[in-house]
Amino acid sequence: MQKILYITPLFLFVLACGPSKNSHSGGSPTVKRTSPSDPRFIESISMTPGEEGPGANNSANTGRLIGPGHSSVSGAGMNIENGTDLQFKYAIMLDENVESMNNLALLQFIDEWFGTRYKYGGSTKSGIDCSAFTCTLQNSVYGKTLPRTSREQFDQSQKIPSESLQPGDLVFFNTRGGVSHVGIYVSNNKFVHASTSYGVTISDLNDEYYKRRFVGAGRL
């Protein structure tokens, strides 16, 4: 008997994301869950071991981020169930170890303000400028009071070398003459600030724009 082979065409749909401007976006990435056993995805970044991209459990990132069913994060012995969505979210954004995301007050503050639009002279969630943002963050997270302008904050802070930066330190830039922009260092060369283009966002000190305009760092 002659066998007849039926071949069903397979259509592959490739979903492509458009490149984002610079290294940050205008809004905070979200964590999407389908069931407790599913991998978590943040801006199309999978935490599933073996996949490519930031947070992948490959030779370059082993022990940095792990997926469901894996017992611990290397270095701290932190069980996966002890890590919050907020810690995973910002570990990926900052390309950092999950266990180093231990300042939950800072992460919560950033998350609540992320995407707030820039408004010169503003100091609320309807609009805020860079120095008002650093004032509000320092007071809310660290209980410290800063003067209102970036120049005054620069003058008041103790100057430190950039290689000594710690979370909560101030970073200053010359964007339009003198000290005219300020942000708060978070981790791994990343800082949070109220950007005129993106509002409250996270940027990288190594970005060419900020690298050329970096004035110095300060500690309260």
Side-chain angles (χ1 to χ4, degrees):
M1 177 184 295
Q2 185 178 5
K3 295 182 179 181
I4 302 175
L5 180 63
Y6 295 94
I7 299 176
T8 303
L10 176 64
F11 295 93
L12 179 62
F13 294 88
V14 179
L15 303 178
C17 295
S20 59
K21 188 175 181 180
N22 292 334
S23 61
H24 48 262
S25 64
S28 178
T30 56
V31 179
K32 295 186 250 181
R33 287 185 185 274
T34 53
S35 74
S37 60
D38 288 336
R40 279 173 278 190
F41 294 89
I42 301 177
E43 288 189 336
S44 302
I45 302 171
S46 172
M47 286 181 174
T48 305
E51 294 197 4
E52 296 296 322
N57 189 17
N58 51 36
S59 60
N61 289 310
T62 301
R64 296 181 69 82
L65 296 172
I66 55 179
H70 292 252
S71 61
S72 66
V73 179
S74 67
M78 184 179 78
N79 292 332
I80 185 66
E81 57 268 21
N82 292 336
T84 66
D85 285 345
L86 202 62
Q87 288 171 302
F88 279 106
K89 176 180 177 178
Y90 284 94
I92 288 182
M93 288 181 71
L94 300 168
D95 192 23
E96 266 286 16
N97 300 311
V98 176
E99 67 269 25
S100 69
M101 300 289 98
N102 52 20
N103 190 336
L104 295 181
L106 176 60
L107 299 182
Q108 187 65 49
F109 182 91
I110 295 172
D111 208 55
E112 289 175 358
W113 283 83
F114 206 102
T116 298
R117 74 183 184 94
Y118 179 90
K119 179 182 179 182
Y120 182 75
S123 58
T124 69
K125 286 184 178 178
S126 64
I128 195 166
D129 64 23
C130 65
S131 56
F133 178 74
T134 55
C135 283
T136 305
L137 187 156
Q138 285 289 341
N139 184 260
S140 298
V141 177
Y142 299 101
K144 297 179 179 179
T145 302
L146 284 177
R148 179 62 176 83
T149 69
S150 56
R151 178 73 229 190
E152 290 171 329
Q153 292 176 16
F154 179 79
D155 292 339
Q156 182 173 302
S157 62
Q158 175 190 351
K159 306 308 175 293
I160 58 172
S162 56
E163 57 268 21
S164 299
L165 277 165
Q166 296 176 4
D169 288 338
L170 300 166
V171 285
F172 299 95
F173 306 89
N174 176 357
T175 56
R176 59 176 185 271
V179 177
S180 51
H181 189 65
V182 60
I184 300 284
Y185 185 77
V186 182
S187 184
N188 194 27
N189 283 320
K190 310 294 192 304
F191 65 101
V192 62
H193 63 131
S195 159
T196 55
S197 300
Y198 298 94
V200 175
T201 189
I202 291 174
S203 301
D204 197 313
L205 289 171
N206 289 326
D207 284 349
E208 192 61 33
Y209 178 86
Y210 295 108
K211 193 173 183 179
R212 291 199 315 267
R213 291 165 174 80
F214 183 71
V215 172
R219 182 170 297 160
L220 301 177

